[in-house]
Amino acid sequence: MLTGFIKARFKRPLHFIPALKLVWQSSPNWTLARIGLVIIQGILPLFSIYMTKLIVDQVTISLALSNRAAALNDIVPLLVVAACLTISTTLFASLSDLVTIAHAQRVTDYMQGIIHSKSISADLEYYENAQYYDALQRAQQEAPYRPPRILDRLALAGQSSISLLAMLGLLLALHWGIVGILFVAAIPTVLVRMKFAGVMYHWKRRRTQLERQAMYLGWLQTSDLFAKEIRLFNLGEHFRQRYAQLRELIYKEKVGIVSKRSFAFFGAQVIAGLFVFAIFIYMVQQTLAGVLKLGDLVLYYQALQKGQNSLRGLLRSLSGLYEDNLFLANLYEFLDIESKVLEPERPQPFPETLATGVVFNNVSFQYATTKRKAIHNVSLKLQPGQVIALVGENGSGKTTLIKLLCRLYDPTEGSITIDGIDLKSFSKLELKSHISVIFQDYAKYHFTARDNIQLGNIERPADDRRIRSAAQLSGADRVIQSLPQGYDTVLGKMFDQGEELSIGQWQKIALARAFLRDSQVIVLDEPTSAMDPKAEYEVFQQFRELIQDQSAILISHRLSTVKMADYIYVMSQGHMIEEGNHHTLMNLNGVYASMFETQAQNYR
């Protein structure tokens, strides 16, 4: 009945039905407890007002008797029952409060987990799209409280329906027209709620990007990433004013909508109040005419009030569900995002040992947010045990090639194979477990030094020996040994007793993560840019000795390091323009030779 009403009236998909399934999945026991309390709390008011009628009637009779002491004995049992009903009502209200809070917390945490899972599984492409961030923002706003609110409203609708049916049964005994008047009186309020629910929904969607801009400005003012520059360039007040201007615009628009809604509500409530007052006048007239007893007047008046409240609660729940249904579209807009990098139906096993290596065959790639190709017909090979280097100016497509190799994207044209098998034929998880990558924008985890390195291979149990070995290879061990708690020291200043590291020291931690991973292909994308040339040279000397049968791809602007590679590919604007070893490229006297000579002059 409930879903049919909304579907027939608004012709919209019923998003709250799958949301209720999520509510059930989050905590079946709390959901059952909630339903039981709804039924009990819906029935209790009927018993309470009926006991009030019996007490009033008995008091009226007692006043006409001479032996009032005997009459009091007849009233006492009724008072005891009424007291028990009051205590029961209070008890179940307290239980309801407990169950509601506990259940809501469970649902909120469960929904946040779903948002996090979807965010993790979404293709990297979405993180380079402003519309994705709009969808994520709206989903994050709705996910924590919309499903619990739906349950609250359904609970209120159920409880109100039970109470309403009981009250209507009483009021029908007085006059059938009262029921019709109650429903007519409630219609204006429902229409106002539904109209402004739609207005608020469309306004919030329209202003999502403005909200995100304000949040970004707030983040700029509070994040340690920008603290130094904001103070050096005196940007704090500038950002604060821009933030205040955006929030003021949002405030004025929102208050304008709410003000119109409040005046409309006032008019609707006045109309409803006049209808109800007319019914009460009719009841008083019937009592004065002797048709109703005094107890009947109390009974019917209470039934009228509770019936009106129950009807108001039911219709408020219906209109609220319409509002929730609108806003849940935001949540499912995000949850319905589909991956373009698909898992193979029948994954091929990854080779235990590389035989022929990695081959890029005429690979082209274009990001979805631009018409310009990032990669144009690139072909290269990485043989087992070989170290190749990718060289080129910023934006030439080097990092994009690595993203394609890790299958964070699929090529627009061409193919990438490992031992002759297309990357698309491997399980994404297995493929990534055999490739170890450290990007230039490596992550800084505010965990212990041990945890920071262990994150490089969480599939294996923590092993202090392997962690220390990886740290020694990257040069991080000396840094960690100098910290107050050694490997148990929390890195960064976000938490108590945390120790901040320099950029170069953070890079060594990130390198240790890459060395810890037991993979057949290692990719280092500008991983030592913050190190001095001597430290970088030592790292790569150790690296060459370490990899043995592993294959490696090195991206670096320091050509003194790059020349140690077995083979070098030079890129420019997404094209592969030169290739060969260091001596071949120097003899070619092309772009690579020019870059090398330019850098070499700085050291002469």
Side-chain angles (χ1 to χ4, degrees), residues 256-545:
I257 294 172
V258 173
S259 298
K260 293 177 182 178
R261 184 178 65 182
S262 297
F263 284 116
F265 271 144
F266 173 74
Q269 292 289 349
V270 168
I271 294 172
L274 292 174
F275 276 109
V276 172
F277 190 70
I279 296 172
F280 180 59
I281 292 174
Y282 172 75
M283 290 180 178
V284 172
Q285 181 187 17
Q286 292 294 97
T287 304
L288 292 175
V291 177
L292 299 178
K293 297 178 182 178
L294 188 59
D296 293 331
L297 176 62
V298 174
L299 173 67
Y300 288 129
Y301 180 65
Q302 285 192 330
L304 176 64
Q305 285 188 315
K306 291 186 180 295
Q308 184 190 21
N309 291 336
S310 297
L311 179 60
R312 186 183 296 131
L314 175 61
L315 295 179
R316 185 166 59 243
S317 299
L318 289 173
S319 58
L321 285 169
Y322 169 68
E323 175 187 335
D324 292 330
N325 195 57
L326 286 174
F327 281 95
L328 275 174
N330 294 331
L331 173 60
Y332 284 99
E333 176 187 10
F334 177 74
L335 295 182
D336 289 341
I337 288 174
E338 295 182 356
S339 177
K340 297 178 182 178
V341 182
L342 303 176
E343 288 281 5
E345 292 184 6
R346 297 177 181 175
Q348 295 287 323
F350 198 92
E352 292 186 8
T353 304
L354 292 186
T356 58
V358 180
V359 176
F360 282 69
N361 185 27
N362 294 322
V363 171
S364 297
F365 178 73
Q366 178 178 323
Y367 288 99
T369 54
T370 179
K371 295 180 179 179
R372 180 180 61 85
K373 281 188 177 182
I375 300 292
H376 299 263
N377 298 321
V378 169
S379 294
L380 64 82
K381 294 181 180 179
L382 173 64
Q383 298 173 0
Q386 184 184 35
V387 177
I388 67 171
L390 300 179
V391 176
E393 60 191 7
N394 290 332
S396 61
K398 306 183 299 295
T399 299
T400 299
L401 283 179
I402 304 308
K403 291 177 182 178
L404 293 172
L405 174 62
C406 298
R407 216 176 161 225
L408 298 175
Y409 300 91
D410 282 333
T412 308
E413 300 172 16
S415 64
I416 306 172
T417 61
I418 294 180
D419 282 3
I421 304 172
D422 196 296
L423 290 188
K424 298 177 182 178
S425 298
F426 298 119
S427 159
K428 290 191 290 185
L429 185 62
E430 186 179 15
L431 172 67
K432 290 165 187 172
S433 70
H434 286 277
I435 301 176
S436 181
V437 184
I438 173 68
F439 286 107
Q440 56 185 322
D441 53 347
Y442 55 86
K444 301 176 182 179
Y445 299 102
H446 290 234
F447 302 144
T448 65
R450 177 182 288 100
D451 289 341
N452 258 275
I453 298 173
Q454 172 63 21
L455 290 174
N457 193 353
I458 59 173
E459 285 77 19
R460 287 191 173 187
D463 183 336
D464 280 356
R465 182 184 58 80
R466 294 180 64 249
I467 290 172
R468 288 177 184 272
S469 176
Q472 288 167 356
L473 289 168
S474 72
D477 183 66
R478 282 176 292 179
V479 175
I480 296 171
Q481 295 291 1
S482 68
L483 297 175
Q485 284 83 40
Y487 280 80
D488 293 319
T489 304
V490 175
L491 304 184
K493 288 292 187 180
M494 187 172 289
F495 302 108
D496 289 342
Q497 299 182 348
E499 293 287 329
E500 188 56 82
L501 304 182
S502 69
I503 295 176
Q505 290 171 331
W506 271 114
Q507 276 193 322
K508 291 177 180 180
I509 297 291
L511 269 172
R513 275 201 296 275
F515 291 154
L516 182 71
R517 198 172 186 86
D518 186 15
S519 57
Q520 299 195 53
V521 178
I522 300 177
V523 181
L524 304 180
D525 182 0
E526 295 282 2
T528 55
S529 58
M531 296 183 188
D532 59 73
K534 181 176 181 293
E536 182 185 51
Y537 181 81
E538 290 175 354
V539 167
F540 281 112
Q541 280 289 89
Q542 291 177 311
F543 176 63
R544 284 304 303 258
E545 297 171 5

Side-chain angles (χ1 to χ4, degrees), residues 557-593:
H557 283 94
R558 284 182 183 162
L559 301 188
S560 58
T561 300
V562 167
K563 73 177 184 178
M564 294 191 300
D566 299 317
Y567 206 78
I568 302 168
Y569 292 92
V570 183
M571 299 188 67
S572 176
Q573 298 182 354
H575 296 272
M576 195 70 73
I577 57 173
E578 293 177 3
E579 60 179 273
N581 59 31
H582 173 73
H583 295 293
T584 301
L585 292 174
M586 291 300 294
N587 292 333
L588 186 63
N589 200 29
V591 173
Y592 177 85

